[in-house]
């Protein structure tokens, strides 16, 4: 294993995405419209997972600072803002998302 390199695909790089909801109580009190947007958000990232882009994603159950994370694998950093911009939760301003490069260690 080596940092940020998959033995089967040497050109891929990794990022962690952190998505923050509009309020700490969001998962308990979202409106029907917000719930629909979040279902679209989950479907969007599920499709990215099927495409091999999202390695893992989901909510972090921190009661004082809930958020979602995703670890993604892409060919270049320019892809990341586009992936975020096309997220239905970001489009609807239900989530804000920031990203950071990651030195991922993957199984061989």
């Amino acid at each position: 294993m080596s940092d940020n390199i998959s033995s089967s695909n040497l050109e891929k790089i990794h990022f962690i995405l952190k998505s923050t909801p509009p309020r700490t109580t969001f998962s308990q009190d979202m409106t029907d419209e917000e719930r629909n947007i979040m279902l679209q958000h989950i479907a969007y990232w599920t499709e990215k997972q099927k495409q091999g882009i999202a390695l893992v994603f989901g909510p972090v159950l921190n009661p004082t600072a809930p958020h979602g994370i995703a670890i993604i694998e892409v060919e270049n950093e320019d892809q990341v803002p586009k992936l975020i911009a096309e997220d239905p939760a970001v489009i609807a301003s239900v989530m804000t998302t920031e990203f950071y490069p990651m030195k991922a260690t993957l199984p061989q």
Side-chain angles (χ1 to χ4, degrees), residues 31-49:
T31 66
D32 289 340
E33 181 181 359
E34 289 170 330
R35 189 172 317 282
N36 182 48
I37 291 164
M38 291 307 294
L39 291 172
Q40 293 173 43
H41 165 78
I42 293 165
Y44 175 79
W45 286 106
T46 298
E47 182 58 31
K48 298 306 174 200
Q49 192 172 50

Side-chain angles (χ1 to χ4, degrees), residues 1 3 16-17 32 37 41 49 55 58 67 69 72-73 78-80 82 84 89-91 100 105-106:
M1 290 190 252
D3 287 349
I16 186 166
L17 281 56
D32 289 340
I37 291 164
H41 165 78
Q49 192 172 50
L55 302 181
H67 60 278
I69 66 160
I72 63 170
E73 183 177 74
D78 296 338
Q79 292 174 270
V80 182
K82 184 177 186 306
I84 292 169
V90 172
I91 292 167
Y100 304 96
T105 301
L106 302 173

